[in-house]
DNA sequence: TTGTAGGCGTTATCAC
DNA sequence: GTGATAACGCCTACAA
């Protein structure tokens, strides 16, 4: 049925190996031969059979990205970025949704599909520090997020503490003294909420501001609605504040809504900053200042590390049987994207990026490789 | 290196074929034999080599879903649903992002990756009615969306006109007489905007309401910000209205924002309904009533049709060389999900579904198969 | 119920 | 530079 190399070889009057050479860009081929082969390929509409190639090369050219859910904007945008980065390197991404369930997250590491691809980029949400053993796998693995540290795998994470601190200092640098935080998880030690809250406290301290418990708004789920509720609660309680740091953008957008409902001007009366820099942040009114945790760089770095582990220059590349490199931990640059909600720009479009050396904000902009 | 069937066979003291039979669930195997084989599989940690199986069976067990961008919530949620539906049938999905560019959309139909999977679910946004020829491909293809009709492929679309009409009638059934529409594209003949606007006009007519040009708000891009702008414009112009039908949820959420800014109570003064029923609709304040175009069913049906075309009961299933079935067009049920923005529920959570026979709303709830 | 032979389409190894 | 030939690991006959 399908056209094979054999057919092409016959048509071009060469051997099958020559066709293979042409297809794979082997350089030492007479130009004339190549042309003939290429003509035959076009005529016959030949396409390499990936299954056969994969069987032979022991490589699929696919990598897996496992995330909780694509319905969550952060992960959808992360997936977008990972796919694009992989694409640029000639690789294809297969997405696995775990629903943040232990069972499915475990399955990702060992299940049926595991063997469909050459490596895994994994953002766990159910598995935690107690499951370190599960991550000791015998295939290329790059971990994402802040649930698990110290696993025997490469890890790309974000500098939650430093970035949160910078966000807080950014608000302080605008002259704000009563900076609320929304989305805290009281008593929690692990995960984004704990880390970002810690950064908030560090920021206060460095700015010489006191930590005020009533300025801390709890919100279990980080949704718009919970953000709005936490904000409303605080306002209804008569808490005085002139700035809000929301631990993610959904919370921030919800808080923005509540502020409006209370007739509070943003950024005039209250400055607002979020975290994640999701697409929506650009489109709110006023546009939302946010911390870009380096999503694109995270995606890019994760793909890069994984492909390095896979040891290939391309999907068909040779497996360099080199030394097993030590596991690396990479923390991409974060930056504050200044928009209207902190008065950083006058227009409706994002523009000024408050980065490492940007005026008024001292943002730790690390790229740590351990 | 890797464990093969051969190793397992040897260990279990059976032939390779027996191992194959066990692995593939062939029923006629002595229980004892099966146990021995299974034990050997566990001991050795054997996993089928997909590449080899694929080569042999001429099937990959993968399907492609091509969408413009995962960053767009509607497509992220669609992808979520498609992955889940395929997963339930034992298939795996590979996502391709086209950025809505002609080049990439064309490539999806014929490019390098085409041969990585057994079939394609494709939601084009750049290719249009003029490109019908491109869709005449020789592999299983299911089209999504409303850009292309009449292509030689199965097609799952939504009943834009009927659903938009139902949305309009829903507002009318609440006693609203001045129903605005937001997101119109003046002069456009193809695509969602045109179809939904047509449904709006049909709804008005059926409700005995006049079509009033000043109640039509244009919005090129369907974003929150453009929705807010269109709404504000209308309000600032002093247009009187008591209901708004936004052509998608982003527009609706933007409009909601503008209504709030103008101190207009929703749903008290103005009732609001969106389209798409994205996740965010649940979390706005007030929660947004929306038209669920049957996203889950679209995903489900698309997968179903595609697998049918592929002619398989499972990823390894046999290819029924039956008659080439005629191309089908399926229009899943749409339904209105009533929430607070139309006063349909009292709580913060979505609950009542105004469907086919629900009181007050006559919603065409077709499942057309052509 | 289980075993044997052969080939799926490709790439790698070697001659030529 | 190019051409035979042997794997890669599995599944489909068919045979026993």
């Amino acid at each position: 049925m399908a056209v094979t190399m054999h057919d092409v070889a016959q048509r071009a009057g060469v051997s099958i190996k020559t066709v293979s050479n042409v297809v794979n860009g082997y350089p030492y081929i007479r130009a004339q031969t190549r042309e003939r082969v290429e003509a035959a390929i076009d005529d016959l509409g030949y396409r390499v059979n990936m299954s056969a190639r994969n069987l032979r090369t022991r490589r699929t050219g696919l990598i897996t990205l496992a995330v909780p859910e694509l319905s969550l904007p952060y992960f959808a945008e992360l997936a977008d970025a990972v796919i694009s980065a992989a694409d640029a390197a000639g690789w294809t991404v297969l997405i696995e949704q775990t629903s943040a369930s232990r069972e499915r997250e475990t399955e990702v590491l060992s299940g049926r599909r595991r063997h469909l691809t050459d490596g895994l980029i994994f953002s766990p949400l159910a598995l935690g520090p107690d499951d370190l053993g599960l991550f000791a796998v015998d295939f290329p693995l790059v971990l994402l997020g802040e649930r698990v540290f110290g696993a025997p795998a490469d890890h790309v994470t974000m500098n939650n503490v430093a970035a949160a601190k910078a966000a807080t200092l950014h608000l302080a640098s605008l002259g704000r003294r009563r900076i609320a935080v929304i989305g805290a998880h009281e008593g929690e030690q692990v995960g984004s909420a704990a880390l970002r809250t810690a950064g908030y406290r560090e920021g206060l301290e460095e700015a010489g501001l006191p930590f005020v418990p009533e300025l801390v708004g709890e919100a279990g789920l980080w949704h718009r609605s919970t953000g709005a509720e936490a904000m409303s609660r605080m306002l209804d309680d008569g808490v005085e504040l002139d700035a809000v740091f929301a631990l993610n953008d959904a919370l921030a957008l919800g808080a923005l809504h509540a502020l409006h409902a209370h007739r509070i001007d943003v950024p005039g009366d209250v400055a607002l900053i979020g975290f994640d820099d999701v697409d929506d942040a650009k489109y709110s009114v006023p546009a939302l200042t946010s911390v870009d945790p380096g999503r694109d760089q995270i995606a890019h770095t994760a793909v890069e590390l994984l492909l390095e582990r896979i040891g290939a220059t391309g999907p068909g590349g040779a497996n360099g049987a080199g030394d097993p490199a030590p596991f690396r931990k990479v923390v991409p640059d974060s930056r504050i994207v200044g928009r209207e909600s902190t008065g950083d720009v006058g227009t409706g479009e994002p523009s000024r990026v408050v980065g490492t050396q940007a005026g008024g904000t001292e943002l730790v902009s690390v790229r740590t490789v351990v």
Side-chain angles (χ1 to χ4, degrees), chain A:
Chain A
M1 186 65 230
V3 182
T4 77
M5 268 193 181
H6 198 86
D7 303 328
V8 177
Q10 201 157 355
R11 170 111 179 185
V14 299
S15 90
I16 185 174
K17 172 59 178 161
T18 303
V19 179
S20 172
N21 283 339
V22 170
V23 168
N24 294 292
Y26 182 71
Y28 306 111
I29 300 180
R30 210 178 309 162
Q32 187 190 345
T33 313
R34 168 178 287 114
E35 276 166 27
R36 226 155 16 126
V37 171
E38 276 164 353
I41 288 177
D42 285 350
D43 290 355
L44 269 38
Y46 167 77
R47 296 262 142 199
V48 263
N49 179 321
M50 285 303 172
S51 299
R53 170 180 286 176
N54 294 344
L55 172 59
R56 189 58 235 216
T57 60
R58 306 166 151 287
R59 184 147 299 166
T60 65
L62 300 174
I63 59 178
T64 304
L65 170 68
V67 293
E69 279 185 58
L70 288 181
S71 303
L72 301 172
Y74 180 79
F75 290 109
E77 294 184 21
L78 180 69
D80 182 334
V82 167
I83 291 176
S84 300
D87 196 51
W91 287 69
T92 303
V93 178
L94 202 144
I95 294 174
E96 191 95 55
Q97 298 193 107
T98 62
S99 318
S101 95
R102 277 192 66 83
E103 188 194 344
R104 306 212 43 163
E105 290 197 353
T106 307
E107 209 172 273
V108 159
L109 290 168
S110 61
R112 179 170 71 82
R113 253 169 220 163
R114 177 50 214 75
H115 300 264
L116 235 47
T117 66
D118 298 331
L120 171 64
I121 297 175
F122 185 16
S123 179
L125 213 58
L127 298 180
D130 297 341
D131 305 295
L132 235 54
L134 289 176
F135 296 98
V137 294
D138 61 354
F139 55 85
L141 168 66
V142 173
L143 246 33
L144 259 37
E146 36 271 326
R147 293 278 309 172
V148 182
F149 290 100
D154 290 328
H155 191 174
V156 184
T157 181
M158 45 178 98
N159 207 327
N160 282 284
V161 178
K165 178 178 173 185
T168 310
L169 286 171
H170 185 59
L171 294 169
S173 78
L174 302 173
R176 312 292 167 140
R177 321 315 296 168
R178 306 262 311 168
I179 303 174
V181 62
I182 283 188
H185 289 176
E186 176 152 22
E188 204 172 279
Q189 303 294 331
V190 195
S192 311
L195 296 170
R196 292 177 193 175
T197 308
Y200 162 74
R201 297 191 66 154
E202 283 187 17
L204 290 182
E205 191 166 339
E206 184 160 321
L209 298 174
F211 171 74
V212 182
E214 64 176 7
L215 285 173
V216 177
E218 299 276 324
L221 291 173
W222 285 359
H223 275 149
R224 268 194 174 73
S225 58
T226 53
E229 283 160 20
M231 190 77 256
S232 290
R233 221 180 302 131
M234 219 177 265
L235 296 173
D236 291 341
D237 288 352
V239 177
E240 277 186 47
L241 49 91
D242 54 15
V244 174
F245 170 34
L247 296 189
N248 88 347
D249 285 344
L251 291 167
L253 264 8
L256 182 58
H257 192 94
L259 288 163
H260 274 294
H262 283 75
R263 318 256 193 278
I264 294 173
D265 182 53
V266 177
D269 302 327
V270 171
L272 174 64
I273 188 166
F275 202 113
D276 278 353
D277 194 32
V278 295
D279 225 42
D280 261 359
K282 297 196 209 27
Y283 300 116
S284 64
V285 183
L288 180 68
T289 292
S290 187
V291 176
D292 172 9
R295 197 187 330 102
D296 285 349
Q297 212 181 333
I298 287 173
H300 198 270
T301 309
V303 169
E304 196 178 317
L305 287 180
L306 189 68
L307 294 186
E308 225 170 86
R309 280 277 170 218
I310 293 175
T313 52
N319 202 327
D323 26 10
F327 298 116
R328 289 151 298 177
K329 181 173 154 198
V330 180
V331 186
D333 294 331
S334 330
R335 49 197 198 109
I336 294 180
V337 182
R339 298 202 183 90
E340 299 165 338
S341 73
T342 48
D344 276 298
V345 286
T347 78
E349 281 306 296
S351 58
R352 191 155 76 82
V353 173
V354 182
T356 315
Q357 282 97 5
T361 304
E362 182 68 11
L363 175 50
V364 180
S365 175
V366 275
R367 179 174 223 272
T368 318
V369 179
V370 183

